[in-house]
Amino acid sequence: CISCVIDQYAKVFDLSVREKEILEEYMENYSALRQCCSMQMSKYELIRLNGCPVTQYLKLPEYPHCEKQNLRKIEKDIFNSSIPINKVNLEYNWAKPGDCVRFRSRVASGRVFNDRVFTNCKNDLIVVKTGKKRD
């Protein structure tokens, strides 16, 4: 629970109510982007974007419901947040508005976790061959 962890930190760092709210909003947005908009997105979103049925997963607590999120708004909100973005591994991780569409398109075209090739709709699919050439 994001707010539970933030409550613990708020006590330790003596955060104001407003600071706590900012942190909660940021972490909720970050969580959505992490699960829905990167090359390391949720396995459920990965299979959904590749046209696989996900109805059997909808009630699982870890299912991210990316299809219900306003990802463009979330991108803008987190980009404009007072909390700075740590831009690392830009090939795989979200860093700016527009990255969400870029990653989701890439995944939907059959590229998955860290640029591996999507092979099937099984939930255990993520042991697949890499798409990168080796020397």
Side-chain angles (χ1 to χ4, degrees):
C1 150
I2 292 171
S3 60
C4 301
V5 173
I6 291 171
D7 281 341
Q8 292 174 346
Y9 277 94
K11 291 173 189 168
V12 172
F13 293 104
D14 196 30
L15 299 179
S16 69
V17 171
R18 181 66 187 131
E19 289 170 324
K20 219 171 99 172
E21 289 170 352
I22 291 169
L23 208 56
E24 285 174 353
E25 180 182 343
Y26 181 89
M27 291 308 296
E28 286 173 16
N29 286 339
Y30 174 81
S31 181
L33 289 181
R34 185 184 60 77
Q35 293 179 68
C36 303
C37 299
S38 75
M39 290 308 290
Q40 298 176 350
M41 69 176 57
S42 161
K43 63 185 173 184
Y44 303 108
E45 186 61 1
L46 182 148
I47 61 176
R48 190 182 78 76
L49 288 174
N50 278 279
C52 302
V54 293
T55 45
Q56 70 267 32
Y57 308 121
L58 293 176
K59 293 184 181 178
L60 295 176
E62 66 269 19
Y63 185 80
H65 298 279
C66 298
E67 66 279 11
K68 294 180 180 179
Q69 302 274 6
N70 183 343
L71 297 171
R72 285 190 176 148
K73 180 184 180 322
I74 291 171
E75 279 188 303
K76 288 178 185 172
D77 289 349
I78 204 165
F79 191 76
N80 294 321
S81 169
S82 59
I83 300 173
I85 299 164
N86 185 14
K87 298 178 181 181
V88 294
N89 297 323
L90 302 181
E91 183 181 352
Y92 301 119
N93 297 309
W94 186 93
K96 66 186 181 315
D99 281 353
C100 195
V101 168
R102 179 171 61 94
F103 286 126
R104 293 171 68 76
S105 295
R106 198 159 141 198
V107 167
S109 76
R111 306 311 288 191
V112 296
F113 293 117
N114 295 333
D115 215 24
R116 292 184 175 111
V117 178
F118 181 84
T119 57
N120 65 58
C121 290
K122 293 180 183 174
N123 192 3
D124 62 348
L125 62 89
I126 313 308
V127 188
V128 292
K129 47 189 171 169
T130 182
K132 293 185 177 184
K133 293 180 181 178
R134 293 194 178 163
D135 294 333

